[in-house]
Structures are given as structure tokens and as C-alpha cells.
Amino acid sequence: MKSQVLSILFMLNGVFSFSPAATTPFVVRNAHHHHTTSTLFYTKNFERAVECASEYGLCDVEEMSKLADELDEYTDSCLYEKDEDMCIKEVADRKDVSEVLRMMGELQLRSDYIKNANLFVDDVKKDAVNNVRDEFVENVLAEGEDW
């Protein structure tokens, strides 16, 4: 009995693989293709990843990083497409979404740095204030001569 259960589990090992994502219980592996399909189980995180990648500023850096990591867990797996050429495109496009999320996160971090801690930006702003003040003083003095 024990050997029968083990042999069944061994045979099923190639048919089912368990996904590390908590929101996707498992992915059914199609034995006739070299990719997996996920028609039975849908991940809301994929939808959120697409939303975040499509609209800058919608998501914070931490969420974008987490979503990119989740997409990267499926590096070479097809989750939707069955055709081999479309599978290759799906994998490439999913990697693209992951890269966009990472770039947007990096851009957001850099923008925050520019707004809050960049020395050059601070110097330019101080210089601009000084220039406005100097122009104002010059205009007042020039108008004073006409009086």
C-alpha cells in the first residue's frame, strides 16, 4: 500500500507543481506542453502588478518591489498562453512588467531624494531666492532714482 501511494505521488510530481505565491495554491502543469497554465487559479497580485506598472505613482516602492518579486517567481513559466510562441512572448512581457515596476520604484526613490535631500537642488533653490531678492532690490533702487 505504502509503495503504491509513493509511486502515485512520484507520477503526479510532474503533473502538479506547487507555487510559492500564497495567493495561488498551485499551478497545473500540462504534460503535453513545456509550460504551465493557470486557468483554474487566478492571482489578484498579477492584476495589481499590471495596474502599478501602468500608472506611475499609484503604488509605493515597497508594494512595487514585492509585486516584481512575485512576478519573478514565474521566470520561465507560462501561466496563460498555450501556444509555444505566445508562451515565449508571455514570459518576456511578464519580465517587462517586473522591470517596469523596479524602474518605477527606483524613479520614485530618486524623486523623493531630489525633493528632500539633494544638496544640488537645495543650492539651486537658495540661489534662486537670492537672485529674486537681488533683482527686487535692484528694481527698488532703480525706481528710487526716478523719484
Side-chain angles (χ1 to χ4, degrees):
M1 176 73 166
K2 183 177 178 182
S3 64
Q4 289 175 335
V5 171
L6 288 175
S7 66
I8 291 171
L9 288 174
F10 181 76
M11 287 179 0
L12 291 177
N13 188 31
V15 177
F16 296 104
S17 64
F18 293 94
S19 168
T23 56
T24 305
F26 61 88
V27 176
V28 179
R29 183 175 299 279
N30 186 335
H32 303 293
H33 299 284
H34 297 290
H35 60 274
T36 58
T37 57
S38 177
T39 54
L40 298 175
F41 303 97
Y42 179 74
T43 259
K44 284 291 193 185
N45 291 343
F46 290 169
E47 182 179 336
R48 184 64 176 165
V50 170
E51 290 172 351
C52 292
S54 300
E55 187 175 333
Y56 181 76
L58 179 66
C59 305
D60 64 29
V61 175
E62 186 177 325
E63 181 180 16
M64 288 187 286
S65 178
K66 179 182 173 196
L67 290 168
D69 288 344
E70 288 183 24
L71 290 176
D72 290 345
E73 290 178 7
Y74 301 96
T75 303
D76 295 320
S77 299
C78 267
L79 304 173
Y80 298 102
E81 300 299 328
K82 294 181 182 180
D83 176 73
E84 190 170 336
D85 290 336
M86 295 305 291
C87 175
I88 292 168
K89 181 166 176 35
E90 176 192 334
V91 169
D93 287 351
R94 187 173 53 249
K95 288 177 183 177
D96 190 45
V97 171
S98 174
E99 289 174 14
V100 166
L101 288 168
R102 292 189 193 289
M103 287 189 284
M104 290 172 85
E106 179 69 21
L107 181 60
Q108 192 168 341
L109 287 172
R110 288 178 176 234
S111 294
D112 290 346
Y113 177 76
I114 289 220
K115 291 175 188 172
N116 300 316
N118 188 290
L119 180 62
F120 176 74
V121 171
D122 289 343
D123 290 343
V124 168
K125 287 179 180 179
K126 288 176 191 172
D127 194 42
V129 168
N130 289 337
N131 288 340
V132 168
R133 187 188 70 230
D134 292 346
E135 286 177 24
F136 176 76
V137 170
E138 286 177 18
N139 288 336
V140 168
L141 291 175
E143 289 175 13
E145 292 175 1
D146 291 338
W147 287 6

